[in-house]
Amino acid sequence: MKFSKIISGAMSWGVWGKSLDIRRMADLIDYCTSKGITTFDHADIYGGYSTEAEFGDALKESGIDRSAIQLVSKCGIQLIAPTRKNNINHYEYSKEYIIWSVNNSLKNLKTDYLDLLLIHRPSPLMNPYEIGLAINHLKDEGKIKDFGVSNFTVSQMSLLSTATDISVNQIEFSATKFEAMMNGTLDYMFSKDITPMAWAPLGTYFKEPSEQTERISKVLISLSDKYNADPDQLLLAWIMKHPSGVHPVIGTTNKERITKAIESENIHIDLQDWFKIWVASQGHDVP
């Protein structure tokens, strides 16, 4: 695999979450890599355009060999922020902007290349051929190794694929938010050998008490002894059972939860147990 099966998402490392200082970030990078999580997921907007640079300082302090990890970042969302001349949140996918944004991310992350660049959100005004020109330019310069998208539908992936190869789509996918499994998104990606990365892989299970999460909880509790696993581990194992080869992007900075997430790679949920979780989520039996 080009990326570790479990990916560490850095969105909450900075001011959008835990506000880790450089020393604690460096320690967390070291911990993740020591446990086998070598892929770190970023976006230029995280922390209001501040987290990439903080992570870059931490990566330098950690002393970890750049070739031992994979850095993912995203571009295209333009937020209202002190560092941007924006008067409305919008998307920008001109060739010039994509190239500028990647160069800025490289400077912030203190690296010569990204292992993967993602278009963060689809725009109704995106021109696939202009995006393709930018991506080909960045690949030719060795500044990105792979290219993909995030939150793209089947038609949007198909459109962009006319201009450049897509290797990844980072989507919302979990036991509580499984639409990608039903609307053709994962089917298309599987057929085109596009790697799925799943943000919010635990869904709303720990966030929004509801009838759905109560039903799922009863099933997970009944399965916990059988698999010697916590609910969050079973939820990760559930999405990783999908044949498309999903890579969960976990957002936690808690070392114990990171370790448990890694252990979930070795949990192989039985077919009928997988369906028990899905049926509980849907609230009705399969047809």
Side-chain angles (χ1 to χ4, degrees), residues 21-286:
D21 59 27
I22 302 305
R23 180 189 60 79
R24 291 170 65 197
M25 278 194 187
D27 177 66
L28 193 55
I29 294 170
D30 183 68
Y31 185 81
C32 287
T33 55
S34 72
K35 296 297 183 180
I37 296 180
T38 59
T39 305
F40 297 89
D41 178 72
H42 289 271
D44 57 351
I45 63 170
Y46 291 166
Y49 302 101
S50 67
T51 303
E52 277 188 336
E54 292 167 349
F55 184 96
D57 290 338
L59 181 60
K60 181 178 180 180
E61 182 169 310
S62 73
I64 291 172
D65 186 346
R66 172 66 180 88
S67 64
I69 65 169
Q70 302 83 48
L71 295 179
V72 180
S73 197
K74 313 175 195 73
C75 75
I77 298 179
Q78 287 270 34
L79 297 181
I80 298 173
T83 58
R84 300 287 171 115
K85 296 179 180 179
N86 299 326
N87 53 40
I88 189 172
N89 294 340
H90 62 285
Y91 306 128
E92 168 64 56
Y93 293 123
S94 66
K95 176 185 176 182
E96 293 75 18
Y97 179 75
I98 293 171
I99 293 171
W100 176 88
S101 184
V102 168
N103 284 327
N104 196 53
S105 289
L106 295 180
K107 179 182 69 175
N108 288 335
L109 291 166
K110 293 181 170 55
T111 184
D112 296 327
Y113 66 95
L114 294 175
D115 295 273
L116 176 66
L117 171 70
L118 302 178
I119 294 296
H120 204 158
R121 292 269 179 184
S123 169
L125 296 179
M126 64 185 181
N127 182 326
Y129 303 106
E130 185 163 6
I131 292 173
L133 289 173
I135 299 311
N136 292 337
H137 174 83
L138 290 165
K139 284 184 174 180
D140 289 344
E141 288 195 330
K143 292 182 177 179
I144 63 172
K145 302 297 183 183
D146 270 313
F147 170 70
V149 296
S150 184
N151 306 296
F152 270 50
T153 65
V154 170
S155 64
Q156 291 159 348
M157 284 186 283
S158 180
L159 174 64
L160 189 51
S161 292
T162 62
T164 188
D165 292 334
I166 297 173
S167 63
V168 169
N169 188 8
Q170 191 174 121
I171 57 173
E172 183 176 20
F173 180 54
S174 66
T176 63
K177 298 285 187 178
F178 51 79
E179 288 79 4
M181 193 172 66
M182 308 301 294
N183 62 18
T185 300
L186 282 172
D187 294 342
Y188 177 86
M189 293 166 66
F190 196 10
S191 70
K192 299 296 183 180
D193 197 27
I194 297 173
T195 299
M197 293 181 179
W199 58 268
L202 302 181
T204 60
Y205 183 78
F206 294 103
K207 296 178 180 178
E208 300 174 12
S210 65
E211 292 183 1
Q212 180 193 44
T213 56
E214 287 180 9
R215 293 192 303 266
I216 294 172
S217 180
K218 290 179 181 178
V219 174
L220 296 181
I221 290 172
S222 72
L223 296 176
S224 61
D225 286 340
K226 176 179 180 178
Y227 293 97
N228 188 28
D230 293 338
D232 49 343
Q233 293 178 302
L234 291 171
L235 291 170
L236 292 175
W238 188 86
I239 67 171
M240 286 189 285
K241 190 174 179 69
H242 194 277
S244 61
V246 178
H247 292 247
V249 181
I250 61 172
T252 184
T253 60
N254 180 287
K255 291 180 179 179
E256 182 179 355
R257 293 191 66 192
I258 290 170
T259 299
K260 287 183 178 294
I262 296 165
E263 292 171 350
S264 69
E265 295 182 46
N266 298 318
I267 299 173
H268 303 288
I269 298 179
D270 291 344
L271 179 67
Q272 292 189 48
D273 290 338
W274 188 93
F275 274 91
K276 287 178 182 177
I277 295 171
W278 189 36
V279 166
S281 180
Q282 293 186 102
H284 59 78
D285 206 348
V286 298

